[in-house]
Structures are given as C-alpha cells and as structure tokens.
Amino acid sequence: MSTRPPTPSRRTLLRALAALPASAVLLGELPGAAFAAAPPSGSATRYTIVPFLNSNDGTVNVYQSDDATDFRLLKSSAFTPPSNRIRDASVFKHTDGYYYLTYTTHTWQDVSTTIGFARSSDRANWTFLYDYTVPIANLSRAWAPEWFVDSDGSVNVIVSCSVNSDEWIFTPYRLKATNSTLTAWSSPVALSGIGPNHIDTYIVRTGSTYHAFTKNETAKYIEYATASSLTGPYAISRTGDWAGWGSYREGPSVIPLDNGGWRIFFDGYGDGTYYYSDSYDTFATWSAPTALPVVSGTARHFTVIKETVSGGPSLAKNVTRSFQSANYSTRYWQAQSSLLNLPVVTASSTAAERSAATFTVVAGLADANGYSFRDSSGNYLRHWDFRARFDANDGTSTFAKDATFIARTGSSSGAIRWESYNYPGYYLRHYNYQLRVERTAGTDLFRQDSSFVPVGAWG
C-alpha cells in the first residue's frame, strides 16, 4: 500500500460530497446462501469478473478464477458498446443459459439517464441488446446498475440515481424485471433507510436478512446495514472503520467462498489498489485487507459471480498415491522427520524412502469434497506456522481444517494445486525443496511451484 495521501475519487474532483455508483447483487449458486462445500471431484468453482479498466472506460475485460484470488484473463476488450461508455459492469447467468451484463453508459462527467444491457453465451463474446432510460423525473445520472436475483427467482437491477437539483447525491433504486427476457421493468423504488450520500450499495441475503454494504461518501468508509426486505427499511449498524478496511474505499462486492466464509472485494481508489478481506462470523469481523494479485491497479469497479462447472480436477479417494512436482519431475512429496519435503525419488531409492513418498488420499477431514493425506504411520498432512508437516489427528475442528485441502487445476495436464481449506488463496508450494502453505502470487512460477501430479505409489 502506498503511503502517499489519498487521491480524490472521480466525483470528488467536482464536489467535496461527490457521489459514487451504487451496486447491489445476490451471489452464489443459490440466492443468498454461503456454501460450505468444496466442488466435488471432476467439478470446479469458477468466479467471473467483468471490470472496466483504469486506463479505459470504453471497454471491459473478462477474468476468471477458481479460488477468488488468482484471477486470469479470459478475454481482453471482450465487449465494447456501439456508442458511449461501459463502466461498473455487473454480470449474472440467467435461467435461459445466457450471461447478461448491465452497465453505466456514460463517463462520470456527463449526464447519464440510461443503463446498458448486453448478452453472451460464453462470457467472452458479447452482443449489445439495448440502452434503457430509467424513468425517474428530472433524472441527472443513473449509475452502477447491479443484478440481484432474490430467493423467489425474481430478477432485479439496483441502480443509483441522482436528480438535476442535486446531481452528485445518489440514492439506490430497485428495478424489477417484469418479463423473462429482461426487456421490461417495474417503476423504480428507492431502498429506504440507507439514505442519500450512501453509494456503491451492495447487498447479499442470508436466510430472511438482507445485508447491505454501502459507502458513506462523506466519511469515505464502507458501512453495514440490514433489513428484512430488499427495499428496506435498512438499519445502519456499523460505521467508521468498523471492519479495519480504512477509508477512501468504494465498490464493495461480497461473495461466498468454498469453505463457508465470505469475501469482500473493494476498490482502494485512494492508493490505486484493489483489496479483498474475509469473514467467518456472518460479517461481524474481517481479516486484514490484502491486495488482489494480477488485476489490482488495472481493474475498476467489478462485481463477482460464482458458479460450479464441470472439468475440475479428479482424484480417487481411499487409494495410495505419490505426488510428483510439475516443474521438477524427479522430485516427489516425502515425509522427513514429520515435515513434508521434495527430494529426488527414484527406483533405486531405499524401501523406506519410497514408503515415505507414498500417501493415502482420503476425504477431507473438514469437508468430504476436499482432500486429506495420511503418511505410512497414519499421521495427517497439515499446515502449522505455514509449514507442511504430519501430525496425529487430535479431533479438533482446527486440526481438521488445517489438514483439509481443496483441489484446483494445476499448471500442466494432470497436475493439481492444493489450496488450504482455512486459508483461501494459500497453496502447498515448494521452495528450497520444502513444502509450505503460501499465498498465491498470481504468477506462472507460483502456479508451477504449487502444482503436483498424482502418480502411482512408490511404496
């Protein structure tokens, strides 16, 4: 993080109480739920973002990730509208099998009374559909439209709007689709309780509660509110730097992780960094904000969709396997004095060395869709102080999580990357031929160092 003074947001350049686009969307494979389950064998989690660029608000890139941390480019300049701009794009997959974008159609300086729509069958190639004029009297700007699919299946767009009498003070409104083709919309309804000068409002639902993350444009903090109805009234219960994210933050987007936690992404526009932070107690406390690799400094204002798709890693359980380094093919996992290392193993290695390079693959102790690994003495592979080691199962929840790993696609054919269950974005990775759990750097080298090929057992 840079220590230079925060730079003003794009609307603050015009006014001290500048307003930002609001967003709200319900994410996950079913509306509003966090899924405490890794993808089953042969399947993969897929997160998609469609950001406009820090250097260009006339087009969007598409990125995808299997872990919500390491986003890789699917297609650059994937969609350029036939006229105007594309900012704050939101994406979701409809029941007709298509992906839909909605977006802001003008740059922030201009009057903007329309929101745009586009459609794709593959997330990479998009077709412009139409621009829709938001029917609010004396409308000045309609910004940051966001999809929200509620638990009854209704498709909504949450859009922040200002009027001519106060063009920089935005209020979030709901538009509800009145047909399945998403071409007709209800009259706008303001979300009550959040109030004016709260922008970039993002909503997720758990059970019967709607949780809103919204930026207070005066204080520059992301605040938190709840309601029992999508349109409110919302009660704001967390203000200031309640989550430790700091100020000059905007564009929150909240998604469920595979281990049952939640992740928030937000734009640290003051220091040019995109951040993420995780919660495991239904939004009460959050981890320290961390810079998102690869896209930080390039992507602006994105939201995220999560899917489970076919084609993920597949590995049988209750069998013995050895694990070969993807980029050092003569080196294999081996237990050495309770630590996991990566020495050379060959047919001429001793029987004890070959046995120490053989492991039983079992269902994850914390999640049966994940994986755990036992050595020849029955101890489990787990991380301790980020070092990979083998210990006896003590029956605690902490041990089960430390000893569970989620299979992610590796850097080469047949290779698998092993993500820590309780440290999302951290992988088993070799360094100096020792195995540690380290945060992904988003580089090809890190992906290679963290990729291992399951092969026939040496022992």
Side-chain angles (χ1 to χ4, degrees), residues 47 56 66 73 86 101 145 150 166 170 207 213 264 268 312 326 351 359 415:
Y47 300 89
N56 184 359
D66 57 5
L73 183 67
I86 178 168
L101 285 181
D150 212 338
D166 210 339
F170 285 78
F213 298 81
I264 187 170
F359 306 94

Side-chain angles (χ1 to χ4, degrees), residues 338-339 380-391 394 396 398-399 402-403 405 420 422-423 428 435-437:
S338 297
L339 299 176
Y380 284 86
L381 174 65
R382 55 92 62 95
H383 62 81
W384 175 266
D385 198 22
F386 300 106
R387 185 68 162 93
R389 57 174 293 119
F390 291 88
D391 288 310
D394 64 10
T396 64
T398 296
F399 186 96
D402 285 352
F405 299 87
S420 168
N422 55 349
Y423 282 80
L428 281 173
L435 273 292
R436 300 181 59 84
V437 172

Side-chain angles (χ1 to χ4, degrees), residues 17-35:
L17 296 180
L20 301 175
S23 61
V25 69
L26 183 64
L27 297 166
E29 292 152 301
L30 291 176
F35 291 86

Side-chain angles (χ1 to χ4, degrees), residues 264-300:
I264 187 170
F265 300 87
F266 53 85
D267 189 350
Y269 64 90
D271 53 35
T273 304
Y274 229 105
Y275 293 99
Y276 68 89
S277 173
D278 297 342
S279 176
Y280 292 92
D281 52 11
T282 316
F283 315 134
T285 61
W286 295 82
S287 65
T290 301
L292 188 66
V294 181
V295 302
S296 184
T298 299
R300 294 299 310 274

Side-chain angles (χ1 to χ4, degrees), residues 328-375:
Y328 289 86
S329 60
T330 62
R331 293 181 176 271
Y332 296 80
W333 289 8
Q334 188 182 82
Q336 298 179 342
S337 301
S338 297
L339 299 176
L340 183 61
N341 293 324
L342 196 73
V344 173
V345 181
T346 69
S348 60
S349 298
T350 67
E353 289 170 336
R354 295 196 304 271
S355 176
T358 298
F359 306 94
T360 302
V361 181
V362 298
L365 296 181
D367 184 329
N369 283 347
Y371 294 83
S372 293
F373 306 92
R374 290 199 305 261
D375 67 10

Side-chain angles (χ1 to χ4, degrees), residues 409-457:
T409 300
S411 63
S412 58
S413 177
I416 298 174
R417 303 173 69 209
W418 298 105
E419 184 186 20
S420 168
Y421 184 78
N422 55 349
Y423 282 80
Y426 284 69
Y427 286 83
L428 281 173
R429 182 261 180 103
H430 68 78
Y431 185 80
N432 283 341
Y433 308 124
Q434 298 178 344
L435 273 292
R436 300 181 59 84
V437 172
E438 294 187 355
R439 179 186 290 136
T440 179
T443 63
D444 288 341
L445 178 61
F446 187 97
R447 295 174 191 132
Q448 294 163 8
D449 286 352
S450 58
S451 293
F452 303 90
V453 181
V455 297

Side-chain angles (χ1 to χ4, degrees), residues 175-199:
L175 305 173
K176 183 177 180 180
T178 57
N179 62 16
S180 62
T181 58
L182 309 181
T183 57
W185 301 92
S186 66
S187 297
V189 176
L191 305 188
S192 66
I194 293 176
N197 212 37
H198 282 87
I199 37 71

